[in-house]
């Protein structure tokens, strides 16, 4: 899309998608995450909540459609085609909410292979069909419609599959539906603040910047998201394990934290550091020379992965262990801080300013999340993860420093030193605590 439509049209798509993603969390209302946790803790009872949660999401989508028009106008989406794209994107997000709910059941059951196949088929069909529509019509509206059609068909097929494997349908009263929404409320609030925290950059670039700048920043952000997919895969698995062991064997949670941190350090951090050295190659290769300006934003966004993955780990742990009510407060303050920093930096620096705001907010969010974890009986492990997270941020930032002027020998020495310090902190007995891993 970026290559065929150019930065301006691509900027319209990404900024409307960002608005749709923010509103989508009102539709999901935290139900997919809650379902994942409930199915993990009690598969036989939890799976019966699937149909209830999907019906609730259809109901929560109704007020979102009424809110969309005034919000779109307020954010500067005045043109008729842009408004149409906004509505199609929100309908697409309704489909996405239902798919996330069905995936919550699959993950809760531990059927990660089935989930992988389902997601792979959906994404492959989306890419192939939307690409065909794009090259045939060069119409952004028709491309977005094709995405909606693929998602809708995918949901029907997956629902049929689950219905043959599990009891996913059960009658419920209005009171039971309301109780489910009350249980999901902390997840919903955290989700809205979370997506606002991540998507506000693009929305504000559209509102107070220029559309083409949103296109450049989005290209950098999409490249960063490709690498963020690595820890996201890990979080899908560890969240289920955290919830399962919290419900059935809490004494094994420290061991699960150790394994999760090990996966992040082995599977993600080296890839982020390598991507830092390749950033000037990746963007032109994927998006074309027209998007070369995006490198300035990517140089800031990539290092943020070094610390954000540990912030995500802390948040998933708190949600899985029934401490989700502690998250909305820190997400509110970090999201508010992100908006304020963006408000000052975007008019002056454009996309790179938005990237700096994201980096600052990621650091704050990670440290606050780990601080809550430290205060809930995991003080030693939380402090170890905090030190490892800060060292990971520094190691991930060194390639950008080298590209923009730092002596390569000094930069590589700093990376090696940071990695050695991480290995020292991550020794099993030192990480878990020799006496009591919960102290």
């Amino acid at each position: 899309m970026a290559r065929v439509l150019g930065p301006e049209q691509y900027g319209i798509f990404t900024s409307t998608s960002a608005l749709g993603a923010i509103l989508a969390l009102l539709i999901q209302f935290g139900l997919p995450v809650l379902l994942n946790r409930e199915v993990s803790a009690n598969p036989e009872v939890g799976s019966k909540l699937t149909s209830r949660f999907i019906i609730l999401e259809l109901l929560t989508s109704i007020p979102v459609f009424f809110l969309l028009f005034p919000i779109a106008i307020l954010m500067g989406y005045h043109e008729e085609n842009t408004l149409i794209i906004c509505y199609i994107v929100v309908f697409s997000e309704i489909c996405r909410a239902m798919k996330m709910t069905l995936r919550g059941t699959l993950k809760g059951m531990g059927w990660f292979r089935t989930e992988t196949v389902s997601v792979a088929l959906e994404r492959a069909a989306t890419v192939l069909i939307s690409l065909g529509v794009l090259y045939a019509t060069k119409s952004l509206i028709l491309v977005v419609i094709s995405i909606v059609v693929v998602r809708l068909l995918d949901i029907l097929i997956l629902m049929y599959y689950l219905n043959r494997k599990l009891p996913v349908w059960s009658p419920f009263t209005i009171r039971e539906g309301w109780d489910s929404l009350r249980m999901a409320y902390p997840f919903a609030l955290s989700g809205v603040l979370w997506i606002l925290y991540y998507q506000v950059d693009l929305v504000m670039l559209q509102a107070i910047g220029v559309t083409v700048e949103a296109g450049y920043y989005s290209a950098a952000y999409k490249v960063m998201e490709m690498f963020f997919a690595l820890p996201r895969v890990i979080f899908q698995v560890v969240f289920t394990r955290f919830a399962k062991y919290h419900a059935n064997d809490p004494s094994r949670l420290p061991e699960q934290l150790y394994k999760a941190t090990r996966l992040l350090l082995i599977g993600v951090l080296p890839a982020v550091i390598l991507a830092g050295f390749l950033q000037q190659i990746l963007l032109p290769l994927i998006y074309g020379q027209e998007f070369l300006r995006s490198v300035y934003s990517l140089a800031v966004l990539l290092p943020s992965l070094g610390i954000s993955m540990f912030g995500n780990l802390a948040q998933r742990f708190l949600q899985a262990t029934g401490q989700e009510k502690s998250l909305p407060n820190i997400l509110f303050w970090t999201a508010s801080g992100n908006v304020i920093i963006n408000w000052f930096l975007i008019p002056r620096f454009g996309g790179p300013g938005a990237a700096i705001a994201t980096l600052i907010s990621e650091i704050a969010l990670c440290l606050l999340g780990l601080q809550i974890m430290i205060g809930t009986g995991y003080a030693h492990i939380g402090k170890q993860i905090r030190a490892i997270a800060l060292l990971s941020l520094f190691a991930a930032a060194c390639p950008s420093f080298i590209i923009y002027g730092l002596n390569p020998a000094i930069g590589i020495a700093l990376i090696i030193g940071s990695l050695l310090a991480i290995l020292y902190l991550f020794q099993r007995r030192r990480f878990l605590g020799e006496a009591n891993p919960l102290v």
Side-chain angles (χ1 to χ4, degrees):
M1 289 175 65
R3 287 177 177 270
V4 173
L5 300 177
E8 185 170 354
Q9 283 288 299
Y10 185 64
I12 291 172
F13 171 72
T14 53
S15 57
T16 54
S17 296
L19 178 60
I22 293 171
L23 294 175
L25 269 296
L26 296 175
I27 299 169
Q28 293 182 27
F29 209 79
L31 293 168
V33 183
L34 176 61
L35 182 62
N36 187 355
R37 192 179 75 180
E38 295 301 304
V39 176
S40 299
N42 192 338
E44 293 183 4
V45 176
S47 64
K48 295 179 182 179
L49 298 172
T50 305
S51 60
R52 180 194 302 183
F53 284 12
I54 287 178
I55 293 171
L56 289 174
E57 285 169 344
L58 291 174
L59 293 174
T60 55
S61 66
I62 296 173
V64 171
F65 272 106
F66 286 105
L67 289 171
L68 179 58
F69 183 78
I71 292 175
I73 296 299
L74 180 65
M75 298 310 300
Y77 304 129
H78 302 291
E79 295 183 7
E80 182 181 354
N81 284 351
T82 308
L83 281 172
I84 293 172
I85 293 170
C86 280
Y87 275 95
I88 299 172
V89 165
V90 169
F91 189 82
S92 173
E93 291 297 339
I94 296 173
C95 298
R96 182 173 180 270
M98 291 189 285
K99 178 61 181 280
M100 294 294 289
T101 301
L102 297 175
R103 289 177 63 186
T105 301
L106 291 172
K107 288 183 286 191
M109 295 297 298
W111 296 350
F112 295 107
R113 181 178 299 175
T114 303
E115 186 205 7
T116 301
V117 172
S118 172
V119 173
L121 290 174
E122 177 211 344
R123 301 295 165 84
T126 300
V127 170
L128 292 174
I129 293 173
S130 61
L131 273 178
V133 173
L134 174 66
Y135 282 105
T137 66
K138 292 183 172 56
S139 168
L140 181 56
I141 292 177
L142 292 179
V143 170
V144 179
I145 289 174
S146 69
I147 295 172
V148 172
V149 172
V150 172
R151 283 184 170 178
L152 189 58
L153 291 174
D154 174 69
I155 290 165
L156 294 175
I157 294 171
L158 184 55
M159 193 68 191
Y160 175 76
Y161 173 83
L162 279 175
N163 190 46
R164 291 176 60 89
K165 295 286 185 179
L166 292 170
V168 295
W169 296 95
S170 63
F172 67 96
T173 63
I174 295 176
R175 177 62 182 272
E176 289 173 330
W178 179 249
D179 288 342
S180 294
L181 290 176
R182 289 178 60 188
M183 287 181 63
Y185 169 72
F187 295 99
L189 185 56
S190 295
V192 170
L193 292 169
W194 180 256
I195 203 71
L196 177 64
Y197 169 79
Y198 273 108
Q199 300 289 355
V200 73
D201 299 353
L202 283 170
V203 175
M204 291 185 71
L205 277 168
Q206 170 73 19
I208 64 177
V210 291
T211 301
V212 68
E213 193 67 27
Y216 289 132
Y217 179 78
S218 179
Y221 199 88
K222 292 296 183 183
V223 173
M224 186 270 288
E225 279 192 321
M226 293 177 190
F227 292 93
F228 188 60
L230 295 172
R232 191 177 290 144
V233 170
I234 294 170
F235 297 142
Q236 301 289 0
V237 178
V238 300
F239 178 86
T240 299
R241 291 199 172 188
F242 287 160
K244 177 181 177 181
Y245 284 114
H246 175 70
N248 302 296
D249 191 2
S251 63
R252 296 183 64 181
L253 279 174
E255 178 70 19
Q256 295 304 311
L257 279 168
Y258 175 79
K259 290 180 178 180
T261 305
R262 181 176 62 192
L263 284 171
L264 292 175
L265 291 175
I266 295 175
V268 181
L269 184 58
V272 172
I273 294 173
L274 179 61
F277 286 109
L278 299 176
Q279 58 187 271
Q280 291 180 313
I281 300 173
L282 289 173
L283 264 167
L285 179 66
I286 297 170
Y287 286 90
Q289 292 295 325
E290 197 173 3
F291 283 82
L292 196 58
R293 279 176 54 186
S294 302
V295 173
Y296 298 112
S297 297
L298 186 61
V300 181
L301 288 173
L302 272 178
S304 70
L305 287 176
I307 195 166
S308 68
M309 60 184 180
F310 293 102
N312 272 267
L313 177 63
Q315 291 165 53
R316 296 300 179 97
F317 179 80
L318 293 172
Q319 287 180 329
T321 55
Q323 301 172 75
E324 63 273 6
K325 291 182 179 179
S326 62
L327 292 177
N329 189 38
I330 65 170
L331 283 167
F332 172 78
W333 289 111
T334 49
S336 300
N338 194 19
V339 170
I340 293 171
I341 298 170
N342 272 308
W343 192 267
F344 284 102
L345 295 183
I346 285 176
R348 185 172 181 181
F349 300 108
I356 293 170
T358 297
L359 175 60
I360 295 171
S361 302
E362 290 282 17
I363 295 171
L365 186 59
C366 177
L367 296 180
L368 288 171
L370 288 171
Q371 188 60 42
I372 294 175
M373 184 176 164
I374 289 169
T376 57
Y378 293 84
H380 178 78
I381 293 178
K383 291 175 182 177
Q384 293 295 102
I385 294 177
R386 182 173 60 190
I388 290 171
L390 292 171
L391 287 167
S392 297
L393 169 64
F394 185 74
C398 284
S400 293
F401 293 151
I402 292 172
I403 288 173
Y404 292 101
L406 181 66
N407 185 288
I410 295 175
I412 292 173
L414 291 173
I415 293 174
I416 294 173
S418 299
L419 294 178
L420 290 174
I422 289 172
L423 287 175
Y424 174 78
L425 292 170
F426 191 66
Q427 293 177 68
R428 184 186 180 86
R429 294 183 64 187
R430 181 168 279 102
F431 184 88
L432 294 175
E434 295 183 6
N436 185 351
L438 299 183
V439 177

